[in-house]
Amino acid sequence: EETVEINGFPLFHVAGAFVYGLACFAVGAHQVIPTLTGMRNAEFVSNYWRFCERYKVSALACVPTILATLLNVPAAGADISTVRLALTGGSPLPNELAQRFEDAFGIPVRNILGMTESAGLLSIGPIRSPRVPGSTGLRLPYSAVKAVRWEKGVPDFSRECAPGETGVIVARGPHVSPGYSDPKRNAGTFTEDGWLISGDLGHVDEAGNIFVTGRAKDVIIRGAHNIDPGMIEEAFLADPAVSMCAAVGEPDAHAGELPVVYVVPKPGVEANPEALLARVAPRIAERPAVPKRVELLDALPMTAIGKVYKPALRLKAAERKLREM
């Protein structure tokens, strides 16, 4: 109940309404709502740390792109000693980004995983335990979360993945909805025995830590090789010139798709696409995952809650391919 949290998510979204909204009120905590536009309010973001000082904020509600944005907002002498954690979710959290944020501000970062269909939450990283790089934390009490094999776009519940083996994340518990108001929409998301198919690719380790590496629909398929875009993005975020990035598949007549990456350079940094690719390529473990091309952007397309909107980037890549043809 002593928590003071900045809730910059839209209140029509499950994160703003439930995870950081009603959950705060339920325990008698306080939240700061930064105008109707939330973290899309550039003036608020530019004064973010001063608001933390003014309201003695103790918890930050973020997505990875917000963490990256705040790294470019200097604390400028603001007293942020009351801030004890930053929670982030909505998309995979690159370890490099989390480490940079913790080093810059001394604020622990913990990841969460959730969906509207699970009342907003499936797992959370405990604040009193060390951050497990890449993990979205531990499942909620009274719930079950596991990875099952993903076969031709369909989860195979008869083939549960071994610890560390990648599959599609599924969950079941009292917080999981029994289905949509229109049952015809349940196929592919809800099973008759209560499982929720998240659409997230990932695995569960022997300690129960849940890892999400990407969305099943975001996998780049180069020939017969399935490429996790998170692997590419993690490598580029480790470069000192990169603020944000996103990897998608570009259509290719021979391979089906080839990986390309869109990069937003850090403010004031002159970045050369070819030189950047040459520096980063050796850090990408799988040779087929090395991008065909790096393209620089002033900003990545975002959804209303600050997640990268990859369909717009896939369209951009397809349009470029058509122009080349």
Side-chain angles (χ1 to χ4, degrees), residues 102-119:
E102 290 179 341
D103 292 345
F105 300 112
I107 299 171
V109 177
R110 294 294 181 271
N111 206 2
I112 66 174
L113 172 65
M115 300 172 63
T116 304
E117 294 84 349
S118 65

Side-chain angles (χ1 to χ4, degrees), residues 24-91:
C24 271
F25 288 138
V27 296
H30 292 74
Q31 61 183 303
V32 178
I33 300 177
T35 77
L36 287 173
T37 51
M39 293 300 288
R40 290 170 290 167
N41 185 326
E43 188 174 0
F44 173 81
V45 171
S46 67
N47 291 285
Y48 189 89
W49 301 115
R50 292 171 63 188
F51 279 103
C52 287
E53 179 182 38
R54 175 183 295 180
Y55 294 107
K56 295 181 170 53
V57 168
S58 60
L60 313 180
C62 304
V63 291
T65 53
I66 294 298
L67 290 181
T69 298
L70 291 177
L71 277 168
N72 297 319
V73 179
D79 180 4
I80 58 173
S81 59
T82 58
V83 182
R84 60 186 182 88
L85 90 151
L87 289 170
T88 180
S91 56

Side-chain angles (χ1 to χ4, degrees), residues 21 101 110 137 155 181 183 254 296 304:
F101 190 88
R110 294 294 181 271
S181 55
H254 175 69
L296 303 182

Side-chain angles (χ1 to χ4, degrees), residues 5-283:
E5 184 171 67
I6 293 183
N7 179 3
F9 285 85
L11 299 184
F12 61 74
H13 189 272
V14 68
F18 290 171
V19 180
Y20 301 116
L22 294 177
C24 271
F25 288 138
V27 296
H30 292 74
Q31 61 183 303
V32 178
I33 300 177
T35 77
L36 287 173
T37 51
M39 293 300 288
R40 290 170 290 167
N41 185 326
E43 188 174 0
F44 173 81
V45 171
S46 67
N47 291 285
Y48 189 89
W49 301 115
R50 292 171 63 188
F51 279 103
C52 287
E53 179 182 38
R54 175 183 295 180
Y55 294 107
K56 295 181 170 53
V57 168
S58 60
L60 313 180
C62 304
V63 291
T65 53
I66 294 298
L67 290 181
T69 298
L70 291 177
L71 277 168
N72 297 319
V73 179
D79 180 4
I80 58 173
S81 59
T82 58
V83 182
R84 60 186 182 88
L85 90 151
L87 289 170
T88 180
S91 56
L93 172 65
N95 182 55
E96 171 68 23
L97 175 59
Q99 192 63 57
R100 279 165 48 201
F101 190 88
E102 290 179 341
D103 292 345
F105 300 112
I107 299 171
V109 177
R110 294 294 181 271
N111 206 2
I112 66 174
L113 172 65
M115 300 172 63
T116 304
E117 294 84 349
S118 65
L121 208 60
L122 289 170
S123 66
I124 186 167
I127 184 61
R128 291 193 175 94
S129 297
R131 178 170 56 82
V132 179
S135 170
T136 65
L138 305 172
R139 64 173 176 81
L140 296 188
Y142 312 109
S143 71
V145 178
K146 62 183 181 180
V148 298
R149 298 284 184 88
W150 184 251
E151 300 289 346
K152 298 179 180 178
V154 178
D156 184 351
F157 283 86
S158 68
R159 303 176 68 193
E160 184 171 341
C161 294
E165 181 185 5
T166 297
V168 63
I169 300 295
V170 298
R172 184 165 63 178
H175 60 308
V176 171
S177 169
Y180 296 119
S181 55
D182 180 358
K184 294 193 295 292
R185 297 181 179 273
N186 288 348
T189 303
F190 295 100
T191 68
E192 292 186 358
D193 56 349
W195 287 100
L196 170 64
I197 303 166
S198 72
D200 289 313
L201 295 176
H203 63 272
V204 182
D205 70 10
E206 292 181 346
N209 293 295
I210 299 161
F211 295 78
V212 171
T213 54
R215 296 287 293 170
K217 63 185 178 184
D218 287 340
V219 168
I220 301 165
I221 303 175
R222 181 175 186 170
H225 196 94
N226 289 353
I227 298 169
D228 175 9
M231 174 201 312
I232 303 170
E233 293 159 359
E234 183 93 28
F236 273 86
L237 284 168
D239 191 274
V242 176
S243 175
M244 300 182 194
C245 68
V248 298
E250 178 182 278
D252 182 78
H254 175 69
E257 288 183 315
L258 292 174
V260 296
V261 62
Y262 293 91
V263 169
V264 177
K266 288 182 179 177
V269 173
E270 289 289 334
N272 176 277
E274 291 76 20
L276 179 58
L277 180 57
R279 286 200 306 271
V280 175
R283 300 192 200 117

